[in-house]
């Protein structure tokens, strides 16, 4: 047995669900029979009113919390937030994590065989949008017998999914927690995604997306993609605090080492860190998944069908919201979260907003800043009270909306 | 003849100067006999007191202003600032532009033959620093018979050279104009440079820097490098204004086009723009030069020899300064310019500082914002008055400093 601290969900086992009915997609295409990998933590109550869906961002999965048997270092990506007594309390909520289709952590993706050909999908894997992922998640909830979520929670791209849930299935969501997110990408956000995609696509080992058949992986492109992504996840300040202008060789010398005067080798600590992150990422992440997920980010724009009017787009949402941003997040700045808040207020919706003064940039949503976790904890306590207090009434209301 | 507007220096001819004496470098290495490409505009006065050296940044050269014979679109990169009656007035100043060694616009660089082998230097071209460039520029001035500059001017990396002039050759500089610059790179700045370098170095066509012999150019890497660089030159806001979330196909349709749902092809305008910039750049820029120049940026850090104390480093400077920053420049933010200003004030130096409220980001230093140009014009008028009023005294002072 693994020794686990108080508050851990402990050892967990991933599950999978097979869907034979094709999933129609926004592009007009569809995904044939597919598998969704998912995990659950805590217990669904008798009223089925305490389910919380957690949506993942680019480089994450259904494995939210706990560890796998015999793998003590396999903590889920949001283990600091989710567990017994934690802000998203698995003693009160039935928490669900699902790997989105197109990802590379268990659900059907570009590396899996296309039933039409028997060969890996590769470049022929259909384009997914945030809305498509929400539909896939909704089907999983149908199978689990959950008609309404106490809450849907997500950070970054996960926050976009949470937001989209309130628009696509308003009757199925009582609360949405939209963290470090945005109502769409800015031109600069798209630009960074495009740099990453070009690095991957122009890697000779990409083979137009059909590299599986060649027994190679476009690691050069994946490394560069991860490096550029990583820069946008951190604040300028936290990079200066963590790495500054320290040299790699400073570790070996008593004082600051002299410059080595090299253009191709590592000189600064930050370079060493980024190369390490890039190398690690290129060992496990799928290149087609990277393209697909960054494109889903680019495409997300609920205001688009309303001529850019986000308030008009948000009129459909009936959920209550907690919106959280971080002051030093320059990828999805607080201003982007305030756009969401304003659009909700324009519709006289119930919205709580917290702007957390955290130094870590976009990555802050994954860290356990006490003010941030305090806000999430307090909000979810309110949700939990409602989930246990009024399940029958809730169910009646849901029926009223003809789900 | 080319029709030119009032204020142009007109048709110019690049010149070159051969140096047979090796140039010793900070790395301990040296550059054997070499050539510097340069241009001059205006006339050196009899007292030789009106020379202004303009230092270039990453993607620029000695060609500051005017056009080449028969090439009406060949305007110099700072043509909006330099010319008769312009802020840097060639009716008053003798302006010098010099291509730094290691660059790819005429001066000796990695693509030229190493006299020791007869083969292109490639990966064996020595590493240059800002200080080395200043030394090379100083030698050119020696040959031109200029013992003291009325001013040294530069933006971005050019501003670092201007700053370094005041530290390496304090007696040879009366004024320094340091625009959109920084006293060193932040970890984030180095990180972006490293992404660009990794894209180039891991391009299979780079061949460790010796691609010339293979008859190829690492264009894939150069494209990605340019794309990531370009993002950092523009402000988030100006990108949104210029491109926003517009689709490439919006041009072809009456209203907004529907999404094409593609992960590999161009969808958004910003992607089209970045790819175009990357393609264009990869056609003419040298990959080794890109590594060398970004590394010179990384290495520049005059406070390093003083335990990080910039005020102590700046104590050597005796020039008067104009420091200019731009509010939306997130590559070298106003805060970085204020570090320079503070270090100068700590030494009771004469410094003027202007923070220009311009929307364009780092690129603003190349544009003709009237407030920005007004500040530079006013400052240089003061310099011009001094240059013409006190040449003899200046010469005496210079002699007093034993140049």
């Amino acid at each position: 047995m693994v020794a686990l601290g108080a508050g851990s969900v402990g050892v967990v086992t991933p599950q999978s669900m097979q869907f034979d009915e094709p999933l129609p997609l926004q592009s007009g295409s569809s995904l044939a029979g597919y598998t969704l990998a998912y995990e659950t933590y805590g217990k669904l109550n008798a009223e089925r009113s305490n389910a919380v869906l957690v949506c993942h961002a680019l480089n994450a999965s259904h494995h939210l919390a706990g560890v796998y048997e015999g793998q003590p270092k396999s903590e889920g990506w949001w283990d600091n937030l989710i567990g017994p007594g934690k802000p998203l309390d698995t003693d009160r909520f039935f928490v669900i994590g699902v790997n989105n289709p197109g990802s590379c952590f268990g659900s059907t993706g570009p590396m899996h065989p296309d039933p039409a050909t028997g060969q890996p999908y590769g470049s022929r894997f259909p384009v997914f949008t945030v809305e498509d992922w929400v539909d896939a998640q909704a089907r999983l909830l149908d199978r689990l017998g959950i008609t309404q979520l106490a809450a849907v929670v997500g950070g970054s791209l996960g926050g976009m999914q949470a937001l989209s849930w309130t628009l696509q299935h308003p009757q199925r969501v009582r609360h949405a927690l939209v963290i470090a997110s945005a109502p769409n990408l800015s031109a600069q956000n798209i630009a960074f995604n495009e740099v990453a995609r070009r690095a991957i696509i122009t890697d000779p080992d990409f083979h137009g997306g059909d590299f599986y058949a060649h027994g190679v992986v476009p690691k050069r492109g994946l490394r560069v993609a991860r490096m550029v992504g990583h820069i946008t996840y951190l604040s300028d300040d936290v990079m200066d605090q963590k790495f500054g202008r320290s040299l790699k060789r400073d570790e070996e010398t008593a004082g600051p080492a002299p410059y080595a005067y090299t253009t191709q080798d590592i000189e600064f600590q930050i370079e060493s860190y980024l190369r390490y992150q890039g190398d690690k990422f290129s060992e496990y992440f799928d290149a087609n998944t990277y393209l697909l997920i960054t494109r889903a980010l680019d495409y997300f724009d609920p205001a688009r069908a309303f001529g850019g009017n986000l308030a008009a787009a948000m009129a459909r949402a009936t959920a209550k919201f907690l919106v959280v941003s971080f002051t030093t997040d320059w990828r999805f700045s607080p201003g982007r979260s305030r756009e969401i808040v304003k659009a909700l207020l324009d519709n006289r919706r119930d919205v709580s907003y917290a702007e957390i003064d955290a130094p870590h940039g976009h990555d802050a949503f994954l860290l356990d800043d006490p003010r941030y976790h305090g806000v999430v904890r307090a909000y979810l306590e309110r949700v939990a009270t409602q989930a246990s207090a009024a399940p029958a009434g809730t169910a009646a209301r849901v029926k009223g909306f003809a789900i």
Side-chain angles (χ1 to χ4, degrees), chain A:
Chain A
M1 260 313 280
V2 181
L4 293 162
S8 170
V9 299
V11 172
V12 296
T13 307
Q15 300 174 261
S16 69
M17 188 85 80
Q18 174 65 28
F19 295 80
D20 297 325
E21 185 81 0
L23 183 72
L25 304 173
Q26 290 223 311
S27 64
S29 182
S30 68
L31 183 65
Y34 58 98
T35 301
L36 294 184
Y38 69 102
E39 288 181 15
T40 67
Y41 320 89
K43 291 206 173 117
L44 188 62
N45 63 15
E47 300 83 5
R48 299 182 169 270
S49 68
N50 68 333
V52 173
L53 175 69
V54 176
C55 307
H56 70 77
L58 199 150
N59 175 34
S61 72
H62 52 292
H63 182 43
L64 311 178
V67 293
Y68 294 140
E69 184 75 52
Q71 301 175 48
K73 291 190 173 175
S74 63
E75 283 96 354
W77 60 271
W78 227 349
D79 193 76
N80 62 26
L81 190 89
I82 301 167
K86 289 185 178 173
L88 178 40
D89 187 348
T90 51
D91 285 339
R92 307 176 92 169
F93 292 108
F94 177 64
V95 178
I96 306 153
V98 53
N99 189 217
N100 288 324
S103 179
C104 50
F105 296 110
S107 292
T108 299
M111 69 298 299
H112 293 127
D114 177 354
T117 66
Q119 300 301 310
Y121 277 107
S123 60
R124 289 167 308 284
F125 196 82
V127 173
F128 264 75
T129 64
V130 166
E131 288 81 358
D132 296 329
W133 284 330
V134 167
D135 283 342
Q137 292 158 6
R139 283 193 177 187
L140 177 69
L141 296 190
D142 292 344
R143 289 277 194 93
L144 296 175
I146 296 162
T147 51
Q148 192 185 56
L149 291 164
V152 59
V153 183
S156 190
L157 173 57
M160 291 175 171
Q161 294 161 58
L163 187 65
S164 204
W165 259 99
T166 71
L167 303 177
Q168 293 174 250
H169 305 284
Q171 307 90 337
R172 296 187 74 169
V173 189
R174 291 203 298 280
H175 294 270
L177 283 73
V178 178
I179 302 167
S181 194
N184 63 27
L185 293 201
S186 69
Q188 188 189 72
N189 294 147
I190 297 172
F192 279 122
N193 282 347
E194 176 67 359
V195 169
R197 283 191 295 261
R198 293 313 292 166
I200 290 170
I201 290 169
T202 64
D203 184 329
D205 286 337
F206 183 64
H207 294 287
D210 298 313
F211 51 88
Y212 313 104
H214 295 79
V216 292
V217 168
K219 287 191 178 180
R220 287 172 290 238
L222 279 166
R223 286 191 196 107
V224 168
R226 182 57 166 175
M227 288 170 76
V228 73
H230 211 87
I231 298 173
T232 69
Y233 303 149
L234 299 178
S235 71
D236 195 10
D237 280 353
V238 88
M239 272 190 149
D240 275 336
Q241 284 160 28
K242 283 175 84 166
F243 308 103
R245 297 182 50 79
S246 297
L247 305 189
K248 176 69 176 154
R249 291 189 308 143
D250 287 351
E251 291 170 354
E252 301 160 18
T253 53
Y259 287 151
Y261 295 104
T262 170
T263 58
Q264 298 194 30
D265 295 330
I266 288 175
E267 180 75 282
F268 293 90
Q269 280 283 6
I270 180 65
E271 297 172 328
S272 173
Y273 173 77
L274 285 177
R275 288 202 202 181
Y276 173 76
Q277 294 293 337
D279 287 349
K280 204 171 63 168
F281 189 72
S282 73
E283 294 293 328
Y284 70 83
F285 208 83
D286 181 78
N288 284 306
T289 293
Y290 203 93
L291 303 188
L292 184 143
I293 295 189
T294 55
R295 207 41 137 179
L297 275 159
D298 293 353
Y299 280 141
F300 182 66
D301 188 9
R304 182 176 161 82
F306 296 84
N309 186 333
L310 186 62
M314 294 306 296
R316 282 169 292 167
T318 54
K320 292 173 175 151
F321 281 76
L322 171 64
V323 178
V324 179
S325 70
F326 301 93
T327 49
T328 56
D329 184 351
W330 62 279
R331 183 181 175 91
F332 295 150
S333 69
R336 306 309 317 272
S337 282
R338 286 195 295 262
E339 289 176 42
I340 298 170
V341 172
K342 183 180 184 307
L344 290 165
L345 293 177
D346 285 347
N347 287 292
R348 301 176 180 279
R349 293 293 181 271
D350 184 332
V351 53
S352 302
Y353 175 57
E355 197 166 306
I356 309 289
D357 186 12
H360 305 95
H362 188 61
D363 259 5
F365 89 88
L366 294 168
L367 304 177
D368 59 356
D369 180 284
R371 289 159 301 180
Y372 160 43
H373 275 198
V375 164
V376 172
R377 178 186 295 277
Y379 189 88
L380 286 170
E381 275 172 6
R382 182 159 71 110
V383 176
T385 311
Q386 291 175 3
S388 58
T394 301
R397 275 215 309 283
V398 172
K399 280 178 189 157
F401 281 103
I403 288 176

